[in-house]
Amino acid sequence: MYSQDTRTVSEPVIPPVCTVLKAQLSSGPTGLPIESESLLDTGRVQAALDACPNGQAVELRSDQQNNAFLLSPIVIKKSVVLLVDEDVIVFGSRNPRDYDADSRLACGTLAATNTGCLPLIQAYHADKAGLMGFGVIDGRGHLPMLINGKPADMSWWDLAAKAQTLSLNQNCPKLVQLWVDTNFTVYKITLKNSPFFHLESLGGSGLTVWGLKVIAPYDARNTDAVDLIYTTNVTVTNSFLSEGDDNIAVGGSSPGASNITVVDSHFGDGHGASIGNYAQKGINNVLFDRISFSGDTANANQIGIRIKSDVSTGGLVNNITYQNVCMQNVRSAIVVDPFYNRTATGSSLPEFRNIVLKNIHATTEGIVKIQGHDAAVPTSITLNNVQIDGVRSTDVTTQYTKFELGPDPVNLASMLTGTGNSINNAISSKNPPYDCPPAAFPKVIGELIPALQTLSFSQDITVKAQLFPAKALPYATYQTNLKRNPSATLDLPAPTGTITILDGLTAVGTFKLNGGRLFSIPLSHLAVGKHTLNATYSGDTNYPAISFGNYTLEVIDHFPSQTSLTVSSGNIVAGGSVTLTAMVTGTAGIPTGTVTFAAGDNQLATTTLDSNGNAQFNWNVVPGGSYVLTATYGGSSVYAAAAGPAVSVLVVPARSTTTVAPDAPVHMVGDDLVLSVVVAGTTLGLLVPSGTVDLFDGVNKLATVTLDATGAGSYTTNTLDLGIHSITCLYSGDATFVSSSSEVATAEIVDQPASSAASHSIQRPKRIILEKLQLRHKL
């Protein structure tokens, strides 16, 4: 197939968020109150976009009753996404001065050109950037412009209508303009009521438009939904486009447009799937596939398939395919027109080659116009299974066209009788027309908004759904209503009835609609396994039933969790205090429950996780030695239990102090001398030293004393010699405390009471020497 994007395109994924901006304004049924119209959010939104790292998004989020942002022109930079949440509405400023492109102050005026306004959202060379989210961007083209803070007597759309009357150009801002971007993505966003074009892409390649919604009245002039001008490799899919001009317009001004796919989309009001009118540098390889057009019987300007140009903007339009197309209430079903502007002058002849229409079915009568420019520049077109129900010969205009018919029927084959035509009729089958059931023409748009992709069996789940009309009220009707009701809006009546969420064929949630466009629908518990959720809308007197959405999730027994353990210090001393911290993480929010701390087989404590998924325990009594510490999460209804990696620690012994003291400083020879030993730790009394103490008299060991439970001990002796003795002791240490030695304590042994000994102290040395000599003599 020639006519397609050469890329393989998959559904976009919303990137991580760098910044969340909360709404500060509140929107009512008719928009913003006048006192809020000067409270622009432009500065903080632009600053966030400028500061956001590549590959991330700035998220616009509601805040309680506040759901609106007010913007003047902003610029999306390279590789950054503007993300608009589903309950947020972004309003474009109504002040023309906010959009002025230069010093002419031309925005909001009529002129010979329409270059006086900046777009509301612009992306210039913003490769890999995007505009995403299920929210709304509303250009408010129907509301009066604000001049010096006061409503003018004209809206942007009134200005456009006046421009047409005076053959001038309106200077109105476009809603979104992409300029020479590569791989830009527009995903799920709703664009409404643009003063001018809703989305315009100029140059660049690799544009993906997925799930775009465009809604504006059919009588709002020049409100094209998607314009693709000299752009290549584009895919537009799963989109709903309804407004007042081209639903899709492909233009081929320099350097031309090519390789464009528009598929699986619904066009409401508008001027159809259009090729041209600018084609000077060629338009090649365009595919429209599985498209429906649903017009309005009051709109005589409704168009379906259209290829248009003239001698001022003509060029080669080649390899264009429309297939699998349904139409209803489309006044001009097929238009191939090289005379788009019949007063145009120039020499750029429009040439339409290799146009293919296959499986085209208009279920209501429509006009068919297929023309070549002249005999030298004919149009070549294939019609295969093309049916316009109720078509009459007066509906068909053809000239200078080479027709290839078949092999499936073409019910207007006998009406292709215009000047300069040639027909190769190869119809050989009686196959029925392409099937176009009522469901092919949806009047409401439904979305399921994905949330959790994985949840545990015990978790409750609420699905958000959007359901809203696919079209707007005609602008003329709105203006009439406004005269009777100052609160009139462009919105069609909200759907009533019910939304049912289905898991396969089983209903798992039902919601009765109560107005609005966004609904939260609680679901019953889903069994363990993978589920694909879809939704059905019951329909009401205004809107037929539809099915919509595709939300895949997996229910598991428990989510896996991860537990980690950290120790507050790597230098742990016995008897000190150290903090153990466990952090439990998971993929479905912050885990709850408890963590058990242990040292080996010894359970230390069980602590409840805080709001951040952390638990702490202060280990105050730590005997010395090597320990293997663990933290084990006990699990919850959502998360499975998990033990974190063990942490090995070494607890070093603490210092000790040893003292020895005699029961009295002086003893009579032969009396008991009691030496008391105390070993104390430096751990504030939390731990007590154990083990033994060696007692010394000078260098002579007296005894080894075992400490009791209080760290004390004693030794009694009555064999010490007369004289002064230097008593010391040495603590041997244990696992908790290091060894230590005492200061010297003195004990004196005398042969008479202490008072007498003191009075004859001068004679003592001679007496001691004499007693020692006598003792040796006896031996």
Side-chain angles (χ1 to χ4, degrees), residues 662-676:
D663 57 345
V666 179
H667 286 74
M668 291 292 291
V669 65
D671 290 346
D672 286 343
L673 168 62
V674 179
L675 300 174
S676 297

Side-chain angles (χ1 to χ4, degrees), residues 41-65:
D41 294 290
T42 308
R44 65 191 184 110
V45 173
Q46 188 64 65
L49 289 169
D50 292 343
C52 192
N54 289 350
Q56 299 186 40
V58 172
E59 179 181 1
L60 304 186
R61 182 182 294 178
S62 64
D63 185 18
Q64 298 181 9
Q65 76 277 9

Side-chain angles (χ1 to χ4, degrees), residues 678-749:
V678 176
V679 181
T682 58
T683 59
L684 303 178
L686 298 176
L687 295 174
V688 178
S690 62
T692 61
V693 175
D694 290 334
L695 281 166
F696 293 90
D697 176 12
V699 296
N700 297 318
K701 183 176 179 180
L702 296 176
T704 298
V705 177
T706 300
L707 299 176
D708 64 17
T710 66
S714 65
Y715 170 69
T716 303
T717 180
N718 57 13
T719 62
L720 294 182
D721 293 341
L722 293 172
I724 297 175
H725 296 265
S726 297
I727 306 300
T728 59
C729 62
L730 175 64
Y731 171 52
S732 61
D734 62 11
T736 304
F737 295 94
V738 296
S739 63
S740 59
S741 59
S742 70
E743 298 290 336
V744 176
T746 59
E748 184 176 7
I749 307 300

Side-chain angles (χ1 to χ4, degrees), residues 144 286 314 354 385 480 540 581 614 716:
V286 181
N354 301 318
N385 195 9
T480 299
D540 62 13
T581 301
N614 298 327
T716 303

Side-chain angles (χ1 to χ4, degrees), residues 381-574:
I381 189 169
T382 297
L383 305 181
N384 181 16
N385 195 9
V386 175
Q387 168 134 346
I388 313 297
D389 291 356
V391 68
R392 295 175 295 179
S393 59
T394 54
D395 294 325
V396 180
T397 301
T398 62
Q399 67 175 9
Y400 301 116
T401 301
K402 296 180 179 179
F403 288 100
E404 296 285 336
L405 306 184
D408 290 333
V410 177
N411 77 327
L412 59 147
S414 62
M415 305 175 189
L416 308 176
T417 57
T419 302
N421 292 341
S422 66
I423 301 175
N424 178 23
N425 191 338
I427 296 173
S428 59
S429 81
K430 295 183 179 181
N431 288 332
Y434 183 67
D435 187 27
C436 294
F441 308 106
K443 292 186 176 181
V444 291
I445 301 169
E447 290 276 15
L448 283 183
I449 301 174
L452 294 174
Q453 302 298 308
T454 307
L455 70 157
S456 75
F457 177 74
S458 62
Q459 279 183 289
D460 294 328
I461 181 171
T462 298
V463 171
K464 288 184 177 181
Q466 286 181 332
L467 190 73
F468 51 95
K471 294 185 178 183
L473 201 66
Y475 182 47
T477 304
Y478 160 77
Q479 290 176 306
T480 299
N481 293 344
L482 197 62
K483 294 176 183 178
R484 300 191 303 265
N485 176 16
S487 298
T489 74
L490 285 168
D491 296 334
L492 291 170
T496 59
T498 59
I499 294 176
T500 301
I501 307 299
L502 298 174
D503 177 16
L505 298 176
T506 303
V508 293
T510 302
F511 187 85
K512 187 174 182 179
L513 298 178
N514 54 7
R517 62 180 272 144
L518 180 65
F519 316 98
S520 294
I521 306 172
L523 305 186
S524 57
H525 284 292
L526 302 176
V528 172
K530 291 186 176 181
H531 302 264
T532 298
L533 303 181
N534 295 281
T536 61
Y537 165 56
S538 64
D540 62 13
T541 56
N542 292 316
Y543 306 106
I546 64 165
S547 298
F548 63 91
N550 190 329
Y551 173 15
T552 301
L553 56 85
E554 182 177 9
V555 177
I556 60 177
D557 187 31
H558 286 84
F559 283 100
S561 62
Q562 298 81 39
T563 304
S564 61
L565 173 64
T566 57
V567 182
S568 62
S569 175
N571 182 23
I572 308 174
V573 179

Side-chain angles (χ1 to χ4, degrees), residues 32 96 119 187 207 289 432 467 474 530 579 584 677 694 711 737 751:
L32 292 174
Y187 181 59
L207 172 63
D289 190 8
L467 190 73
K530 291 186 176 181
T579 300
V584 184
V677 177
D694 290 334
F737 295 94
D751 60 356

